[in-house]
Amino acid sequence: MAAGFVKSAQRTLEVLEYFAATHHPAGVGEIARELGYPQSSTSVLLGDLARLGYLEQDGMRRYRPTLRVMLLGGWLQDRLIGDGSLLRRMEQLRARHQVTVLIGMQAGARVRYILTLRRPGADATMRAGMMRPIGRAAVGKALLMLRTEAEAQRILRRANAEEAEARRVDVADVLEDISASRRRGWTESGGAVVPGQNVLAMPLPAMAGQPPMAIGLGALGEEVERQRPALVAALRETCAGLRHDADPAAGGTGGTQRRRR
C-alpha cells in the first residue's frame, strides 16, 4: 500500500511539472502518452486533482493548472527571491541569448532539473523533473564544484555503480575537469549527455534553507561556441545579481527575510 501512495505522489508531481514545461492545456491521452502512464489511472488522477482545485477542465476536456498551484510556492518566492527575481532573470537569459535555461539540484548520484525554460525549437521532451548523469551533465558537474575532491569522488563512484558500463565516466578525468572548472568558475557538458548539444553551467549562490543549486545555459554546440564569452558573462552577471539580492548590506532583500508590504 505504501508503494502505491508513493507512486501516486510521484505521478502527481510529474503531472504538475509536465504543465510547467509545456505551458498549454492537455487531455488525458496526451498526458498519459507523454508521461508513460496507463490512460485509466491518468484519468482518475487528473479528475482527483481537478476536484481538489489544482487543475481545471476546459470545454474541450483538456486540463490545465489553476492559480492554486502557483500559490503553493508563493511563500518561497517571497522569502527567497523577492518579486520573482530568479525566474525573471531566467526568462531574460532565455530571451536575450536564445538558449535553454536549466536549474538543477543533486538527487543522489544524479542531477535533477527543477526548472527548464526551453529555447525555441528545443527538444520538447526536456522538462522539469528530468534526471541526468551527474558526471556528464554540466549542471551536475557545477554542483560537484561545490564539493571537496573526496566527496566528488565518492559521488562519481556511486554514479558509475548505478550506470550501465557503457555510460560510466572516467572518475579521474572528471575530477580533473572539475578542478579546472573551479579555477575558471564554470563548466560545460561538451556533448557528453546529448551529442551535438552543449551546456555551460555555474553553481548558483547559496539560498538560505535551500539545497545547493546550479544553472546551465544550453544550445547546439556551434551556437554555444559562438556565444561562449557572452554566455559565461551572462552566468556571472546572473549569479552576481542574485548574490546582491540576497545581501541586505548591499541593498538586497536579504534572501531569507520576507519583504515588508
Side-chain angles (χ1 to χ4, degrees):
M1 182 65 70
F5 283 127
V6 170
K7 181 178 288 187
S8 295
Q10 178 179 334
R11 288 183 174 178
T12 296
L13 295 174
E14 288 176 346
V15 165
L16 297 179
E17 289 174 341
Y18 174 78
F19 284 116
T22 60
H23 298 186
H24 66 71
V28 172
E30 178 182 347
I31 293 171
R33 182 175 62 255
E34 292 297 323
L35 298 181
Y37 301 162
Q39 186 155 328
S40 58
S41 59
T42 302
S43 179
V44 172
L45 175 60
L46 295 177
D48 286 345
L49 290 173
R51 281 187 287 275
L52 291 169
Y54 293 105
L55 301 179
E56 62 180 357
Q57 198 172 30
D58 62 20
M60 299 179 66
R61 303 184 64 79
R62 298 175 304 179
Y63 288 92
R64 60 188 177 192
T66 69
L67 287 178
R68 186 174 184 185
V69 174
M70 180 191 74
L71 294 174
L72 287 174
W75 68 278
L76 278 173
Q77 173 177 300
D78 190 48
R79 182 181 180 192
L80 294 173
I81 55 180
D83 295 335
S85 63
L86 177 59
L87 186 56
R88 184 177 68 247
R89 290 177 191 277
M90 303 304 104
E91 292 280 11
Q92 290 171 344
L93 285 171
R94 175 171 63 171
R96 184 179 305 134
H97 299 284
Q98 296 294 290
V99 292
T100 294
V101 182
L102 306 165
I103 293 182
M105 62 177 57
Q106 186 179 343
R110 299 175 74 81
V111 58
R112 183 190 299 277
Y113 296 143
I114 61 170
L115 173 68
T116 59
L117 299 179
R118 297 194 304 270
R119 66 186 178 90
D123 184 356
T125 63
M126 179 174 287
R127 58 179 180 265
M130 289 182 66
M131 306 272 274
R132 287 289 188 252
I134 200 165
R136 292 181 178 272
V139 174
K141 291 195 293 182
L143 290 168
L144 292 178
M145 289 165 60
L146 300 171
R147 299 284 190 167
T148 66
E149 183 170 346
E151 290 171 335
Q153 184 179 62
R154 283 195 295 271
I155 293 167
L156 290 168
R157 292 191 184 282
R158 177 182 169 189
N160 273 348
E162 296 176 1
E163 286 280 6
E165 186 172 354
R167 296 292 295 168
R168 292 172 184 168
V169 299
D170 185 303
V171 172
D173 284 351
V174 177
L175 290 174
E176 185 177 348
D177 182 14
I178 291 169
S179 179
S181 298
R182 285 195 194 97
R183 291 193 294 270
R184 69 189 180 197
W186 56 273
T187 189
E188 63 184 312
S189 63
V193 177
V194 180
Q197 304 277 337
N198 196 8
V199 175
L200 304 184
M202 185 177 292
L204 281 172
M207 294 187 181
Q210 297 296 299
M213 293 180 285
I215 178 175
L217 305 179
L220 294 174
E222 58 267 28
E223 295 174 5
V224 171
E225 191 63 34
R226 185 173 62 251
Q227 294 193 76
R228 183 184 298 273
L231 294 179
V232 171
L235 286 170
R236 286 178 172 148
E237 179 183 351
T238 297
C239 289
L242 291 171
R243 197 173 293 110
H244 177 277
D245 288 349
D247 183 4
T253 63
T256 60
Q257 298 301 314
R258 180 172 292 275
R259 195 185 277 271
R260 293 181 182 271
R261 302 285 187 215

